[in-house]
Amino acid sequence: MEMEKGKVVVEKVRGKSSVIRSFSKYPLKFITPRKVGSSITDAVWIYSLTYGGGIVSGDSISVEFTIGDGCTAVLTTQSSTKVYKSLGSKCSEQVLEKQVFRVVSDSSLVIVDWFTSGRHESGEKWDFELYRSSNCIFAEGNQPVFLDTVLLEQSSPVDIAERMHEYQVIAMVLIYGPKLKHVQDQVQENVKRLMSQQLQIPSTRLGCCAKTNSDNCLVRPAFIASCSAFGPKGMGVVVRVASTTTEAVYRFLHHQLAGMEPLLGVSPYS
């Protein structure tokens, strides 16, 4: 299986963060817009696309990004990446290699990693054999700061769809670095307040309760979130989310990451 590769290098040019090298090979494509948001904001945006709108059997993509001192870069991927299934004996798969980030002491990093069950409104719900996504952060001296893996695997007697109940989206938001302390504090406060409100109001009945209207069944909220600190001196915050709708996750991300607008020029997920 041929390995498709891409590489982007961002350095300071005349005092501004700039892409000085960009290479991509089919089916991968990088697009660097001339301007995103305010012109006084020092941030370069990079759109990562795959031709055809998704990953097909045989595709394998490896990408390397190098962000220079004092630079700010935003990498966005397609809002929807579809793995097309093959019929019969053919196999179609998407292999997401471990994402490794190496940061220096004063660097900041934000990762938004989320996954949906499929087109659940038309009946496509968690219809795959295995999903695994790993994110690892290492500080100077190859010191591990954050090692995390999300794993969903079909198993007997309970399959993925049954274990997920009516939740159709899972997400992780990671905010790391001293320059983002104000965003971390606000996110932790927001998640604490949100979940306190969830416990005080009647939750949407899901699973067996939705079908039988039985008071003996477990009641699950339509949206849940948790937040915890990690790393030396609590320099990082990770938020985990499960939701019954994609729209609720979009609203959550927009609200929680709004504090990054001065750094990026625009508010994420606006």
Side-chain angles (χ1 to χ4, degrees), residues 229-260:
F230 70 89
K233 300 179 181 179
M235 285 183 62
V237 166
V238 59
V239 181
R240 301 186 189 277
V241 170
S243 174
T244 59
T245 67
T246 304
E247 291 77 10
V249 178
Y250 270 115
R251 291 193 299 267
F252 177 82
L253 293 174
H254 172 62
H255 183 60
Q256 304 308 322
L257 300 179
M260 296 188 62

mmCIF file of all heavy atoms in Angstrom, residues 229-260:
data_model
loop_
_atom_site.group_PDB
_atom_site.id
_atom_site.type_symbol
_atom_site.label_atom_id
_atom_site.label_comp_id
_atom_site.label_asym_id
_atom_site.label_seq_id
_atom_site.Cartn_x
_atom_site.Cartn_y
_atom_site.Cartn_z
ATOM 1 N N ALA A 229 -7.664 18.211 34.320
ATOM 2 C CA ALA A 229 -6.358 18.789 34.039
ATOM 3 C C ALA A 229 -5.327 17.684 33.863
ATOM 4 O O ALA A 229 -5.490 16.566 34.354
ATOM 5 C CB ALA A 229 -5.947 19.726 35.171
ATOM 6 N N PHE A 230 -4.232 18.008 33.152
ATOM 7 C CA PHE A 230 -3.143 17.050 32.976
ATOM 8 C C PHE A 230 -1.842 17.814 32.787
ATOM 9 O O PHE A 230 -1.819 19.029 32.575
ATOM 10 C CB PHE A 230 -3.411 16.144 31.761
ATOM 11 C CG PHE A 230 -3.297 16.842 30.438
ATOM 12 C CD1 PHE A 230 -2.088 16.919 29.761
ATOM 13 C CD2 PHE A 230 -4.418 17.435 29.851
ATOM 14 C CE1 PHE A 230 -1.987 17.571 28.545
ATOM 15 C CE2 PHE A 230 -4.316 18.088 28.635
ATOM 16 C CZ PHE A 230 -3.104 18.157 27.976
ATOM 17 N N GLY A 231 -0.733 17.084 32.840
ATOM 18 C CA GLY A 231 0.576 17.665 32.574
ATOM 19 C C GLY A 231 1.180 18.353 33.785
ATOM 20 O O GLY A 231 0.533 18.522 34.826
ATOM 21 N N PRO A 232 2.447 18.779 33.664
ATOM 22 C CA PRO A 232 3.126 19.472 34.768
ATOM 23 C C PRO A 232 2.400 20.748 35.157
ATOM 24 O O PRO A 232 2.049 21.552 34.314
ATOM 25 C CB PRO A 232 4.516 19.799 34.174
ATOM 26 C CG PRO A 232 4.652 18.993 32.932
ATOM 27 C CD PRO A 232 3.288 18.656 32.468
ATOM 28 N N LYS A 233 2.164 20.898 36.442
ATOM 29 C CA LYS A 233 1.498 22.079 36.993
ATOM 30 C C LYS A 233 0.123 22.317 36.362
ATOM 31 O O LYS A 233 -0.357 23.450 36.303
ATOM 32 C CB LYS A 233 2.372 23.325 36.812
ATOM 33 C CG LYS A 233 3.729 23.238 37.487
ATOM 34 C CD LYS A 233 4.553 24.490 37.257
ATOM 35 C CE LYS A 233 5.911 24.400 37.917
ATOM 36 N NZ LYS A 233 6.735 25.613 37.684
ATOM 37 N N GLY A 234 -0.512 21.245 35.886
ATOM 38 C CA GLY A 234 -1.846 21.375 35.284
ATOM 39 C C GLY A 234 -1.864 22.264 34.067
ATOM 40 O O GLY A 234 -2.826 23.010 33.848
ATOM 41 N N MET A 235 -0.823 22.187 33.225
ATOM 42 C CA MET A 235 -0.716 23.075 32.069
ATOM 43 C C MET A 235 -1.690 22.731 30.963
ATOM 44 O O MET A 235 -1.841 23.484 30.004
ATOM 45 C CB MET A 235 0.704 23.048 31.503
ATOM 46 C CG MET A 235 1.708 23.817 32.346
ATOM 47 S SD MET A 235 3.360 23.823 31.591
ATOM 48 C CE MET A 235 3.009 24.672 30.052
ATOM 49 N N GLY A 236 -2.363 21.585 31.071
ATOM 50 C CA GLY A 236 -3.306 21.188 30.040
ATOM 51 C C GLY A 236 -4.661 20.822 30.598
ATOM 52 O O GLY A 236 -4.791 20.459 31.773
ATOM 53 N N VAL A 237 -5.677 20.943 29.755
ATOM 54 C CA VAL A 237 -7.046 20.548 30.105
ATOM 55 C C VAL A 237 -7.599 19.708 28.979
ATOM 56 O O VAL A 237 -7.434 20.052 27.800
ATOM 57 C CB VAL A 237 -7.942 21.794 30.335
ATOM 58 C CG1 VAL A 237 -9.418 21.395 30.366
ATOM 59 C CG2 VAL A 237 -7.570 22.491 31.627
ATOM 60 N N VAL A 238 -8.243 18.588 29.312
ATOM 61 C CA VAL A 238 -8.882 17.757 28.302
ATOM 62 C C VAL A 238 -10.371 17.644 28.630
ATOM 63 O O VAL A 238 -10.755 17.409 29.778
ATOM 64 C CB VAL A 238 -8.230 16.361 28.218
ATOM 65 C CG1 VAL A 238 -8.310 15.608 29.541
ATOM 66 C CG2 VAL A 238 -8.873 15.551 27.096
ATOM 67 N N VAL A 239 -11.199 17.872 27.618
ATOM 68 C CA VAL A 239 -12.652 17.792 27.753
ATOM 69 C C VAL A 239 -13.145 16.638 26.880
ATOM 70 O O VAL A 239 -12.759 16.529 25.707
ATOM 71 C CB VAL A 239 -13.338 19.095 27.303
ATOM 72 C CG1 VAL A 239 -14.848 19.002 27.486
ATOM 73 C CG2 VAL A 239 -12.779 20.284 28.065
ATOM 74 N N ARG A 240 -13.988 15.786 27.435
ATOM 75 C CA ARG A 240 -14.561 14.668 26.686
ATOM 76 C C ARG A 240 -16.068 14.836 26.626
ATOM 77 O O ARG A 240 -16.705 15.188 27.622
ATOM 78 C CB ARG A 240 -14.181 13.334 27.319
ATOM 79 C CG ARG A 240 -12.666 13.134 27.394
ATOM 80 C CD ARG A 240 -12.281 11.763 27.883
ATOM 81 N NE ARG A 240 -10.857 11.664 28.145
ATOM 82 C CZ ARG A 240 -9.934 11.412 27.223
ATOM 83 N NH1 ARG A 240 -10.315 11.224 25.962
ATOM 84 N NH2 ARG A 240 -8.653 11.340 27.550
ATOM 85 N N VAL A 241 -16.621 14.568 25.443
ATOM 86 C CA VAL A 241 -18.029 14.851 25.185
ATOM 87 C C VAL A 241 -18.694 13.659 24.519
ATOM 88 O O VAL A 241 -18.074 12.974 23.687
ATOM 89 C CB VAL A 241 -18.172 16.093 24.266
ATOM 90 C CG1 VAL A 241 -19.601 16.258 23.784
ATOM 91 C CG2 VAL A 241 -17.705 17.343 24.986
ATOM 92 N N ALA A 242 -19.936 13.406 24.874
ATOM 93 C CA ALA A 242 -20.792 12.461 24.154
ATOM 94 C C ALA A 242 -22.138 13.138 23.937
ATOM 95 O O ALA A 242 -22.678 13.771 24.851
ATOM 96 C CB ALA A 242 -20.963 11.156 24.932
ATOM 97 N N SER A 243 -22.682 13.011 22.715
ATOM 98 C CA SER A 243 -23.917 13.724 22.388
ATOM 99 C C SER A 243 -24.791 12.886 21.464
ATOM 100 O O SER A 243 -24.287 12.057 20.699
ATOM 101 C CB SER A 243 -23.591 15.064 21.725
ATOM 102 O OG SER A 243 -24.761 15.723 21.282
ATOM 103 N N THR A 244 -26.091 13.140 21.528
ATOM 104 C CA THR A 244 -27.015 12.454 20.623
ATOM 105 C C THR A 244 -27.133 13.164 19.282
ATOM 106 O O THR A 244 -27.683 12.605 18.340
ATOM 107 C CB THR A 244 -28.418 12.359 21.256
ATOM 108 O OG1 THR A 244 -28.889 13.686 21.535
ATOM 109 C CG2 THR A 244 -28.380 11.554 22.548
ATOM 110 N N THR A 245 -26.616 14.408 19.179
ATOM 111 C CA THR A 245 -26.704 15.155 17.921
ATOM 112 C C THR A 245 -25.381 15.830 17.603
ATOM 113 O O THR A 245 -24.640 16.230 18.501
ATOM 114 C CB THR A 245 -27.803 16.238 17.962
ATOM 115 O OG1 THR A 245 -27.434 17.251 18.907
ATOM 116 C CG2 THR A 245 -29.148 15.639 18.333
ATOM 117 N N THR A 246 -25.109 15.986 16.304
ATOM 118 C CA THR A 246 -23.911 16.695 15.861
ATOM 119 C C THR A 246 -24.018 18.189 16.144
ATOM 120 O O THR A 246 -23.038 18.848 16.517
ATOM 121 C CB THR A 246 -23.699 16.469 14.354
ATOM 122 O OG1 THR A 246 -23.637 15.067 14.090
ATOM 123 C CG2 THR A 246 -22.414 17.120 13.874
ATOM 124 N N GLU A 247 -25.209 18.750 15.980
ATOM 125 C CA GLU A 247 -25.405 20.191 16.168
ATOM 126 C C GLU A 247 -25.041 20.629 17.578
ATOM 127 O O GLU A 247 -24.471 21.715 17.775
ATOM 128 C CB GLU A 247 -26.858 20.571 15.861
ATOM 129 C CG GLU A 247 -27.259 20.462 14.402
ATOM 130 C CD GLU A 247 -27.494 19.026 13.957
ATOM 131 O OE1 GLU A 247 -27.538 18.127 14.844
ATOM 132 O OE2 GLU A 247 -27.618 18.791 12.744
ATOM 133 N N ALA A 248 -25.347 19.804 18.571
ATOM 134 C CA ALA A 248 -25.036 20.163 19.951
ATOM 135 C C ALA A 248 -23.531 20.250 20.176
ATOM 136 O O ALA A 248 -23.054 21.094 20.932
ATOM 137 C CB ALA A 248 -25.657 19.135 20.902
ATOM 138 N N VAL A 249 -22.775 19.387 19.494
ATOM 139 C CA VAL A 249 -21.318 19.429 19.623
ATOM 140 C C VAL A 249 -20.760 20.684 18.961
ATOM 141 O O VAL A 249 -19.860 21.334 19.496
ATOM 142 C CB VAL A 249 -20.687 18.166 19.012
ATOM 143 C CG1 VAL A 249 -19.164 18.237 19.096
ATOM 144 C CG2 VAL A 249 -21.189 16.923 19.729
ATOM 145 N N TYR A 250 -21.286 21.049 17.782
ATOM 146 C CA TYR A 250 -20.869 22.285 17.127
ATOM 147 C C TYR A 250 -21.088 23.490 18.043
ATOM 148 O O TYR A 250 -20.208 24.354 18.186
ATOM 149 C CB TYR A 250 -21.631 22.488 15.819
ATOM 150 C CG TYR A 250 -20.970 21.890 14.614
ATOM 151 C CD1 TYR A 250 -21.564 20.848 13.926
ATOM 152 C CD2 TYR A 250 -19.748 22.375 14.143
ATOM 153 C CE1 TYR A 250 -20.957 20.281 12.806
ATOM 154 C CE2 TYR A 250 -19.141 21.826 13.031
ATOM 155 C CZ TYR A 250 -19.752 20.779 12.368
ATOM 156 O OH TYR A 250 -19.145 20.235 11.274
ATOM 157 N N ARG A 251 -22.263 23.573 18.654
ATOM 158 C CA ARG A 251 -22.562 24.696 19.542
ATOM 159 C C ARG A 251 -21.608 24.714 20.736
ATOM 160 O O ARG A 251 -21.130 25.776 21.149
ATOM 161 C CB ARG A 251 -24.014 24.617 20.020
ATOM 162 C CG ARG A 251 -25.038 24.888 18.923
ATOM 163 C CD ARG A 251 -26.415 25.117 19.526
ATOM 164 N NE ARG A 251 -26.878 23.953 20.262
ATOM 165 C CZ ARG A 251 -27.628 22.987 19.730
ATOM 166 N NH1 ARG A 251 -27.976 23.034 18.447
ATOM 167 N NH2 ARG A 251 -28.025 21.973 20.464
ATOM 168 N N PHE A 252 -21.338 23.536 21.280
ATOM 169 C CA PHE A 252 -20.441 23.433 22.434
ATOM 170 C C PHE A 252 -19.036 23.906 22.067
ATOM 171 O O PHE A 252 -18.422 24.697 22.791
ATOM 172 C CB PHE A 252 -20.409 21.981 22.922
ATOM 173 C CG PHE A 252 -19.466 21.739 24.068
ATOM 174 C CD1 PHE A 252 -19.848 22.032 25.368
ATOM 175 C CD2 PHE A 252 -18.195 21.214 23.846
ATOM 176 C CE1 PHE A 252 -18.987 21.807 26.428
ATOM 177 C CE2 PHE A 252 -17.326 20.989 24.894
ATOM 178 C CZ PHE A 252 -17.717 21.287 26.184
ATOM 179 N N LEU A 253 -18.510 23.433 20.938
ATOM 180 C CA LEU A 253 -17.168 23.817 20.515
ATOM 181 C C LEU A 253 -17.076 25.319 20.240
ATOM 182 O O LEU A 253 -16.086 25.973 20.606
ATOM 183 C CB LEU A 253 -16.773 23.023 19.267
ATOM 184 C CG LEU A 253 -16.577 21.515 19.457
ATOM 185 C CD1 LEU A 253 -16.344 20.842 18.108
ATOM 186 C CD2 LEU A 253 -15.424 21.226 20.404
ATOM 187 N N HIS A 254 -18.087 25.866 19.587
ATOM 188 C CA HIS A 254 -18.090 27.302 19.297
ATOM 189 C C HIS A 254 -18.045 28.120 20.577
ATOM 190 O O HIS A 254 -17.276 29.095 20.692
ATOM 191 C CB HIS A 254 -19.341 27.652 18.490
ATOM 192 C CG HIS A 254 -19.532 29.131 18.303
ATOM 193 N ND1 HIS A 254 -18.626 29.932 17.636
ATOM 194 C CD2 HIS A 254 -20.522 29.966 18.726
ATOM 195 C CE1 HIS A 254 -19.044 31.182 17.648
ATOM 196 N NE2 HIS A 254 -20.185 31.226 18.311
ATOM 197 N N HIS A 255 -18.830 27.721 21.557
ATOM 198 C CA HIS A 255 -18.897 28.474 22.816
ATOM 199 C C HIS A 255 -17.599 28.343 23.614
ATOM 200 O O HIS A 255 -17.067 29.347 24.126
ATOM 201 C CB HIS A 255 -20.079 27.975 23.641
ATOM 202 C CG HIS A 255 -20.281 28.717 24.928
ATOM 203 N ND1 HIS A 255 -20.536 30.066 24.979
ATOM 204 C CD2 HIS A 255 -20.228 28.294 26.224
ATOM 205 C CE1 HIS A 255 -20.655 30.452 26.244
ATOM 206 N NE2 HIS A 255 -20.467 29.391 27.013
ATOM 207 N N GLN A 256 -17.062 27.119 23.705
ATOM 208 C CA GLN A 256 -15.891 26.893 24.549
ATOM 209 C C GLN A 256 -14.608 27.472 23.952
ATOM 210 O O GLN A 256 -13.711 27.862 24.695
ATOM 211 C CB GLN A 256 -15.700 25.382 24.794
ATOM 212 C CG GLN A 256 -16.893 24.687 25.389
ATOM 213 C CD GLN A 256 -17.421 25.370 26.647
ATOM 214 O OE1 GLN A 256 -16.653 25.864 27.466
ATOM 215 N NE2 GLN A 256 -18.740 25.416 26.786
ATOM 216 N N LEU A 257 -14.509 27.525 22.628
ATOM 217 C CA LEU A 257 -13.283 27.997 21.989
ATOM 218 C C LEU A 257 -13.371 29.453 21.521
ATOM 219 O O LEU A 257 -12.461 29.946 20.857
ATOM 220 C CB LEU A 257 -12.938 27.092 20.798
ATOM 221 C CG LEU A 257 -12.696 25.615 21.146
ATOM 222 C CD1 LEU A 257 -12.389 24.820 19.891
ATOM 223 C CD2 LEU A 257 -11.561 25.465 22.165
ATOM 224 N N ALA A 258 -14.435 30.138 21.888
ATOM 225 C CA ALA A 258 -14.604 31.537 21.472
ATOM 226 C C ALA A 258 -13.483 32.419 22.003
ATOM 227 O O ALA A 258 -13.103 33.411 21.379
ATOM 228 C CB ALA A 258 -15.959 32.060 21.937
ATOM 229 N N GLY A 259 -12.904 32.063 23.151
ATOM 230 C CA GLY A 259 -11.835 32.853 23.737
ATOM 231 C C GLY A 259 -10.545 32.836 22.937
ATOM 232 O O GLY A 259 -9.621 33.597 23.227
ATOM 233 N N MET A 260 -10.470 31.990 21.899
ATOM 234 C CA MET A 260 -9.271 31.921 21.071
ATOM 235 C C MET A 260 -9.318 32.869 19.879
ATOM 236 O O MET A 260 -8.350 32.960 19.120
ATOM 237 C CB MET A 260 -9.072 30.484 20.573
ATOM 238 C CG MET A 260 -8.814 29.487 21.683
ATOM 239 S SD MET A 260 -8.374 27.885 21.025
ATOM 240 C CE MET A 260 -6.861 28.305 20.139
#
